[in-house]
Amino acid sequence: MEHLTASLQTLGLNEVPQLANLATFPTYNQVDIYRAHIAELLAPITGVAAETVYPLLQWTQVLEYGDVMLPVPALRIKGKKPDALALEIKEQFPESPLVLPPVAEKTFVRFFFKPGPLAKLVLPSILKNSTKYGFNPNLGLKDPKDPSSEKKKMIVEFSSPNIAKPFHAGHLRSTIIGGFLSNLYEAAGWDVTRMNYLGDWGKQYGVLAIGFEKFGSDEALEANPIGHLYEVYVKVSAIAHDEAEQVKALKAKIVELEGKNESVVEQQAEIERIEKEGIDQQARDYFKRMADGEKDALAIWARFRDLSIVKYKQTYARLNITYDDYSGESQVKNESMETAAKVLAEKKISEESEGAVLVDLTKYQKKLGKALVKKRDGTTLYLTRDIGAAVERHQKYNFDKMIYVVASQQDLHLAQLFKILEVMGDEYAEVSKKCQHINFGMVLGMSTRKGTAKFLDDILRDVGEKMHDVMRSNEGKYVQVENPEQTADTLGISAVMVQDMSGKRINNYEFDINRMTSFEGDTGPYLQYAHARLCSIARKAELTPEQLASADWSLLTEKHAVDVIRSLAQWPDTFVNTIKTQEPVTVLTYLFKMTHMLSSSYEQLNVMKAEPEVKKARAALYECARQVLYNGMRLLGLNPVERM
Ligand code: ARG
């Protein structure tokens, strides 16, 4: 802060403008200085308190609209037409060391920052804060105005694939979006727990265990647990399916024979045999033993689970994701589900129906329907386990907020879950209030060259290979890349992730391997290229961080330079806005706009051919741009490359 005060004094301001009672962050976000300054100047003109004006000063998405703007109607001044008022504000706005005379346009007043002071405030701050620039660790505190206050706690539950089942597009999106949201809240100072809630419980794990006895191989399991378990599951499910078909055919045959008054003894015996000895019954028995906590039955399943987690960890690492907690449906304690069942029954929220237990949610909201919480055979369901899991997590982590990143196909499921918790009251209702479902649309046509994609690894491998082909097509460049395979892999992952994050979460999108791996258009490889190019400029300029920090910022006067600076100044606001939208596209849109601006500036702002002092200032500007691009890419979960 002292540093900031000193530099503002050289610009003609006595102190850092700050508004009492408001959380302003002049050291994290220089635009906050401008907002406070403008609000102070507007107060006497408008008769509206500076504290009220401050939050109305919006950021603009397009630089032509100014650096911040004031929507005049939001001032709620009675008796004057907003456009007349906008003109009045423009005319009465005093001379300022930081902002140019404002522009009135219809009901808006637009403020443009003076380029010189802006460069001096923003660029040194980027160099100084480097990987932290733009992030504000106070936002996640219990009291953002008090830096010594405690961090709020958050659980982000994401990815959550099902063991022995394909890792489908829904899991891919959950992984990408959940990873991003975890980074986002962490950068805002929250204490984030990343949680993977594996689908690892239910009769199908009995099926799997039986299948493993028949088709499993320890070697194959060790080598590729996820692939092998899936293979086993497919084989044993096929048998179960055949048996079911057989029973159906036998039943039809019986009807036919009975019509002719012939004996059906043989057919009945066969049906009985299948129902007693078939896969389905074996699986039920096996799962019953698991559910009863029988050690032998649990041992093999635990091995499947553990080995799968080892493998998942490797794949998640490629996406820069590590989990704090591998929970799962199997981990939910019977006790918490029983306690919940008791509350539901006692409060008459649930009712018995033909031996099963259900909750009629239509009382609260028609579209929530009726939800089953206990099957006739007494076993729990997906929903029951989620009820138990939610309270257990609350008891374990005492979170302030919990986010479920799950496909919109499960909108109803989560709405039912939250409603049930709400009407249960007490701690359950408290949990419900803290929960949020972050949903997303589908990925269409996600298939690899070798058929339909089954596992995340296959998808990443395929896109990496395609990326390698794209790189090879530029031979001159290709030979300069040190580790082409590794680079292709990283670029491929960026391609998949950026494509996924390019639209609003709720939209469906087409998995288009050609488009996502292209260097043209708003793609992952394009962003990586922009980063690598900035790295290359830095390498050629050969200036130390100290030299860059001593740059004379007043030499950056060209329109291209000024626009890049204005754009960089928007990064902290973009971050804050992203917390509001919870959309990765908010970050991406900003990064693409910023990098487009850069690419049109390279010719005008040549570094190597410039005079030494100008060269230094320009190199420092590009270093700032690289830093912001890097920070944005990291926030999204990408690995910025230095060469490609
Ligand atoms: N394993 C589930 C599936 O693949 C997703 C789990 C979502 N999370 C939850 N708490 N229900 O469909």
Side-chain angles (χ1 to χ4, degrees):
M1 192 62 106
E2 281 156 40
H3 184 79
L4 189 56
T5 310
S7 77
L8 277 168
Q9 277 165 354
T10 68
L11 299 173
L13 274 191
N14 292 332
E15 56 189 331
V16 181
Q18 254 190 324
L19 301 172
N21 310 323
L22 275 184
T24 67
F25 302 98
T27 50
Y28 291 114
N29 184 352
Q30 283 73 45
V31 176
D32 279 357
I33 302 173
Y34 287 84
R35 262 189 287 263
H37 172 67
I38 295 170
E40 278 174 350
L41 295 182
L42 284 175
I45 305 176
T46 58
V48 179
E51 279 82 3
T52 312
V53 179
Y54 180 90
L56 303 179
L57 292 164
Q58 301 170 356
W59 72 309
T60 62
Q61 305 223 14
V62 186
L63 293 179
E64 288 80 68
Y65 294 166
D67 294 291
V68 292
M69 61 182 186
L70 175 73
V72 175
L75 290 172
R76 296 173 180 278
I77 296 177
K78 296 215 180 76
K80 260 188 204 157
K81 286 230 169 72
D83 28 6
L85 199 54
L87 273 176
E88 223 170 88
I89 291 172
K90 169 197 143 73
E91 270 150 28
Q92 293 181 25
F93 198 82
E95 192 45 68
S96 147
L98 296 185
V99 281
L100 296 163
V103 177
E105 196 183 317
K106 294 195 185 126
T107 61
F108 285 101
V109 183
R110 307 189 184 286
F111 298 90
F112 292 81
F113 301 162
K114 285 186 174 168
L118 183 67
K120 281 190 196 125
L121 283 174
V122 171
L123 301 178
S125 166
I126 299 176
L127 293 178
K128 188 163 139 256
N129 292 299
S130 63
T131 53
K132 297 199 177 73
Y133 175 71
F135 307 135
N136 182 344
N138 289 342
L139 299 176
L141 301 179
K142 296 234 151 121
D143 176 6
K145 281 179 286 182
D146 172 10
S148 67
S149 76
E150 226 179 296
K151 286 177 173 216
K152 285 190 279 187
K153 295 200 182 85
M154 149 130 37
I155 293 182
V156 183
E157 188 224 273
F158 64 107
S159 197
S160 307
N162 304 320
I163 288 176
K165 297 268 191 70
F167 189 105
H168 57 65
H171 300 125
L172 175 70
R173 294 209 73 186
S174 173
T175 309
I176 293 171
I177 296 167
F180 158 74
L181 289 172
S182 308
N183 296 341
L184 178 71
Y185 283 100
E186 212 158 58
W190 287 72
D191 176 0
V192 176
T193 298
R194 292 166 172 80
M195 178 180 284
N196 201 327
Y197 182 65
L198 296 173
D200 57 359
W201 203 240
K203 199 194 83 188
Q204 68 262 37
Y205 296 96
V207 175
L208 189 65
I210 299 295
F212 196 77
E213 282 172 8
K214 289 189 196 307
F215 309 111
S217 131
D218 281 325
E219 252 168 52
L221 183 67
E222 298 278 340
N224 178 9
I226 293 176
H228 184 58
L229 289 176
Y230 178 62
E231 240 170 60
V232 168
Y233 189 73
V234 168
K235 281 189 191 158
V236 66
S237 303
I239 301 183
H241 179 78
D242 284 353
E243 286 173 346
E245 291 292 306
Q246 244 175 299
V247 170
K248 235 199 256 162
L250 285 164
K251 283 186 175 162
K253 185 80 190 167
I254 289 176
V255 173
E256 186 198 319
L257 291 174
E258 276 174 347
K260 290 194 251 169
N261 255 333
E262 286 176 35
S263 162
V264 295
V265 174
E266 209 179 292
Q267 285 74 16
Q268 253 156 0
E270 182 61 8
I271 290 180
E272 242 171 67
R273 190 194 62 77
I274 294 176
E275 284 182 345
K276 227 169 87 195
E277 295 167 18
I279 298 289
D280 196 63
Q281 190 55 45
Q282 286 183 50
R284 267 176 217 286
D285 293 342
Y286 201 102
F287 182 62
K288 177 94 180 36
R289 286 168 54 209
M290 285 168 65
D292 290 345
E294 222 178 90
K295 279 221 171 71
D296 284 356
L298 284 174
I300 174 88
W301 162 87
R303 189 146 166 257
F304 295 164
R305 183 179 198 275
D306 293 347
L307 288 170
S308 298
I309 290 176
V310 170
K311 179 71 191 160
Y312 280 132
K313 282 185 180 165
Q314 294 165 1
T315 308
Y316 290 129
R318 297 174 70 184
L319 302 173
N320 288 326
I321 290 168
T322 50
Y323 283 94
D324 303 294
D325 192 341
Y326 275 90
S327 75
E329 292 177 44
S330 68
Q331 308 297 301
V332 184
K333 297 193 190 81
N334 282 330
E335 196 195 317
S336 21
M337 292 188 279
E338 275 154 22
T339 312
K342 224 187 270 162
V343 175
L344 285 170
E346 276 169 16
K347 297 203 171 173
K348 302 215 168 10
I349 297 165
S350 64
E351 54 195 84
E352 291 222 6
S353 165
E354 296 170 34
V357 180
L358 56 79
V359 178
D360 181 3
L361 291 167
T362 57
K363 279 186 271 196
Y364 311 105
Q365 211 181 347
K366 189 120 213 257
K367 65 170 193 211
L368 289 179
K370 292 181 180 179
L372 207 56
V373 289
K374 200 171 221 168
K375 285 202 278 197
R376 239 187 300 179
D377 63 7
T379 53
T380 63
L381 290 129
Y382 182 47
L383 180 60
T384 332
R385 294 193 279 274
D386 257 328
I387 298 172
V391 232
E392 279 182 26
R393 291 175 194 179
H394 194 246
Q395 286 158 1
K396 180 167 172 191
Y397 291 105
N398 188 24
F399 55 79
D400 297 282
K401 187 176 171 83
M402 173 154 70
I403 289 178
Y404 293 81
V405 189
V406 186
S408 61
Q409 278 105 322
Q410 295 194 27
D411 280 357
L412 179 62
H413 169 76
L414 287 149
Q416 289 178 334
L417 171 64
F418 297 167
K419 194 62 178 188
I420 291 174
L421 290 170
E422 182 194 317
V423 297
M424 286 171 80
D426 304 325
E427 187 184 4
Y428 297 97
E430 199 190 321
V431 172
S432 177
K433 259 192 248 145
K434 297 174 176 176
C435 288
Q436 185 191 10
H437 176 201
I438 292 277
N439 61 359
F440 49 82
M442 293 190 293
V443 188
L444 309 169
M446 191 169 82
S447 60
T448 64
R449 292 186 217 173
K450 289 168 187 128
T452 311
K454 292 260 156 40
F455 300 107
L456 184 51
D457 264 343
D458 303 335
I459 302 161
L460 299 182
R461 180 211 55 222
D462 250 52
V463 180
E465 279 172 11
K466 168 79 190 176
M467 206 61 238
H468 206 164
D469 292 347
V470 176
M471 284 164 64
R472 267 195 216 107
S473 66
N474 186 340
E475 221 178 291
K477 272 220 173 125
Y478 182 74
V479 294
Q480 290 176 18
V481 180
E482 260 172 56
N483 191 345
E485 241 134 75
Q486 169 80 42
T487 306
D489 192 62
T490 306
L491 295 185
I493 290 169
S494 303
V496 172
M497 291 177 67
V498 168
Q499 165 148 295
D500 194 278
M501 301 192 280
S502 286
K504 282 218 172 137
R505 289 188 330 254
I506 197 64
N507 295 340
N508 300 341
Y509 73 87
E510 191 84 41
F511 194 84
D512 185 338
I513 197 162
N514 290 322
R515 199 173 58 210
M516 75 170 88
T517 53
S518 165
F519 285 102
E520 271 141 49
D522 290 347
T523 64
Y526 174 83
L527 273 192
Q528 289 283 14
Y529 171 76
H531 185 263
R533 179 158 187 183
L534 290 163
C535 290
S536 146
I537 292 176
R539 279 193 301 271
K540 287 190 193 128
E542 284 188 314
L543 294 164
T544 64
E546 293 71 34
Q547 286 171 316
L548 293 178
S550 71
D552 177 356
W553 307 113
S554 68
L555 297 173
L556 298 169
T557 51
E558 300 82 353
K559 180 171 184 333
H560 279 97
V562 171
D563 280 351
V564 171
I565 297 166
R566 293 171 65 206
S567 175
L568 298 180
Q570 288 189 332
W571 170 235
D573 264 3
T574 306
F575 174 70
V576 173
N577 195 40
T578 307
I579 295 172
K580 292 198 188 105
T581 64
Q582 296 176 308
E583 295 274 2
V585 71
T586 309
V587 174
L588 264 183
T589 306
Y590 167 80
L591 292 182
F592 282 123
K593 226 181 296 166
M594 197 267 280
T595 46
H596 289 319
M597 207 174 278
L598 278 176
S599 71
S600 65
S601 78
Y602 289 128
E603 223 167 287
Q604 270 79 13
L605 306 177
N606 190 296
V607 173
M608 297 311 284
K609 288 186 207 143
E611 301 298 317
E613 278 306 308
V614 175
K615 172 186 164 186
K616 193 158 86 178
R618 288 180 181 172
L621 175 64
Y622 285 131
E623 171 54 18
C624 291
R626 189 204 61 76
Q627 189 68 63
V628 169
L629 178 56
Y630 178 93
N631 293 2
M633 289 173 78
R634 293 294 298 180
L635 186 65
L636 294 171
L638 306 171
N639 248 338
V641 300
E642 291 181 10
R643 288 172 205 262
M644 61 187 266

